[in-house]
Amino acid sequence: MINLHISTSSSENTTDIYDVIIVGSGPAGMTAAIYTGRSLLKTLLLEKIGSGGQAALTELIENYPGFPHGINGYELSQRMEEQAKNFGASFEYADVQKITRDDQGLFHVHTESREFLSKTVIIATGASPKKLGIPNEEKFIGRGISFCATCDASFYRDKVVAVIGGGDSAVEEGMYLTKFAKKVYLIHRRDQLRAAKIVQERAFKTPGMEFIWNTIVEEVKGENFLEAIKLKNVKTGETSWLEVNGMFLYIGLYPNTSFLEGVNCDEQGYILTDEMMRTNIPGLFAAGDCRHTPLRQVITAASDGAIAAYAVEKYLEEIKG
Ligand code: NAP
């Protein structure tokens, strides 16, 4: 909740006040931390689980400049974190539950255990994988249903897996899974992939990968672990059960912005900003996948983070002046 009229006494201790708190340590948050740290701003980065966000779960990032043979997402994230720390940014693990703003314009970032104070905040909380919302899905998450091939592929050595979705993630991670599984079915609800053409071409030539078109998953079943998924051809209405040991879901993302109140978002919950990454709340900025943006890539997230950091600096100069 961004409440312009809440005031607390703790804001009087200026040594505890950060110039900027960055929420989320994906490429957007870490780039912002590199820039604000390098500008000698007192920077705190708060992260719920581990650094890197979605990028850290990507086996190979091929289109981030400077790595002609690609780079593993986890490694790239670790390098960004080291770079931000080298410039003096502090990192803490904490789940941010709400953000308020007091009558002196200071932000109070409330986590499950304590409250942090800052003159500005950058929201860089990214986006999380969507679920199908079908019967028994929850029961098999972690027992055959996964959202991360990089993390779980090795469990499916010589097994049969299904990958759901037709975007870059589904196709790239599907290809990666063929290194482990003996068979990878890529199941897409249309007859054309959304993934980049170069990725599609490579996928069509990948041995061990079979495409099932115009098909959705309606149900899943098994004893303790996933054993089969019920498919429905959306053109013919025909249904059938496919035996699989695992199912990887890559059906898109939703923004991690539900903890915010009073911040203008689009109808899907992505934060609206101007070109300086400013939200409708003065001193509150947003960067990366949680923002309404035409492209969600590591490079665009990093770019957003750099611009947000620059805007923070300008804002701090203005309020000081
Ligand atoms: P995405 O591009 O939104 O694709 C989601 C896919 O899931 C689409 O093919 C969509 O079908 C399908 N889908 C959505 N809801 C579904 C449902 N309920 N049942 C079945 N299928 C469903 O998501 P993403 O692949 O995770 O990518 C997210 C963003 O990251 C994109 O901007 C992508 O370009 C980017 N990314 C880039 C790279 C890279 O450049 N190397 C790698 C990974 C991701 P329709 O096509 O019919 O809508």
Side-chain angles (χ1 to χ4, degrees), residues 232-287:
K232 180 181 177 184
N233 184 306
V234 292
K235 289 258 160 90
T236 62
E238 215 174 289
T239 60
S240 58
W241 283 93
L242 178 69
E243 285 185 14
V244 294
N245 307 104
M247 176 168 78
F248 288 77
L249 297 182
Y250 289 107
I251 59 166
L253 305 167
Y254 67 89
N256 297 318
T257 55
S258 59
F259 69 102
L260 295 169
E261 276 179 32
V263 180
N264 289 348
C265 293
D266 67 14
E267 63 286 349
Q268 291 174 287
Y270 289 98
I271 302 168
L272 295 170
T273 69
D274 64 8
E275 62 179 11
M276 290 289 278
M277 308 299 142
R278 289 181 284 231
T279 68
N280 58 309
I281 312 284
L284 187 82
F285 303 82

Side-chain angles (χ1 to χ4, degrees), residues 58 60-63 130-132 164-170 172-173 187-190 192-195 199 215-217 250-253 289 294-297:
T58 307
L60 188 67
I61 296 173
E62 285 185 314
N63 50 3
K130 282 186 190 164
K131 297 175 193 170
L132 287 167
I164 316 303
D168 285 314
S169 300
E172 286 184 1
E173 302 305 310
I187 299 169
H188 184 35
R189 63 183 178 183
R190 293 188 291 133
Q192 275 189 344
L193 296 173
R194 179 181 289 278
V199 177
T215 299
I216 56 168
V217 180
Y250 289 107
I251 59 166
L253 305 167
D289 284 5
L295 190 60
R296 292 194 173 85
Q297 305 271 293

Side-chain angles (χ1 to χ4, degrees), residues 175 178-179 181-182 184 202-210:
M175 282 190 286
T178 61
K179 293 181 189 171
K182 66 178 176 196
V184 175
R202 219 182 294 151
F204 292 141
K205 289 182 200 150
T206 300
M209 202 154 168
E210 187 177 324

Side-chain angles (χ1 to χ4, degrees), residues 25-183:
S25 69
M30 287 200 282
T31 305
I34 291 167
Y35 275 70
T36 57
R38 192 163 178 268
S39 294
L40 304 179
L41 299 181
K42 190 175 173 186
T43 301
L44 173 66
L45 197 145
L46 296 175
E47 169 57 46
K48 188 157 64 169
I49 309 169
S51 298
Q54 287 289 308
L57 305 179
T58 307
E59 182 54 29
L60 188 67
I61 296 173
E62 285 185 314
N63 50 3
Y64 191 75
F67 299 96
H69 306 294
I71 181 165
N72 172 268
Y74 180 74
E75 190 189 339
L76 181 62
S77 303
Q78 292 299 300
R79 290 188 190 202
M80 288 183 182
E81 181 174 334
E82 189 184 343
Q83 203 172 351
K85 285 179 175 166
N86 286 347
F87 285 122
S90 306
F91 280 62
E92 283 210 29
Y93 287 110
D95 187 2
V96 173
Q97 291 172 344
K98 68 174 174 176
I99 299 173
T100 55
R101 189 171 184 251
D102 66 23
D103 51 12
Q104 299 162 57
L106 277 181
F107 289 95
H108 296 238
V109 178
H110 306 256
T111 71
E112 71 280 25
S113 57
R114 59 167 291 195
E115 196 179 311
F116 297 92
L117 291 180
S118 184
K119 294 173 196 163
T120 64
V121 173
I122 299 174
I123 308 292
T125 42
S128 295
K130 282 186 190 164
K131 297 175 193 170
L132 287 167
I134 55 170
N136 291 332
E137 184 178 28
E138 295 295 333
K139 176 179 165 189
F140 292 109
I141 289 174
R143 294 168 166 269
I145 296 183
S146 170
F147 302 90
C148 178
T150 310
C151 321
D152 297 336
S154 62
F155 298 130
Y156 296 96
R157 229 172 263 278
D158 297 323
K159 301 217 161 137
V160 177
V161 300
V163 175
I164 316 303
D168 285 314
S169 300
V171 181
E172 286 184 1
E173 302 305 310
M175 282 190 286
Y176 174 66
L177 279 162
T178 61
K179 293 181 189 171
F180 299 83
K182 66 178 176 196
K183 181 91 186 176

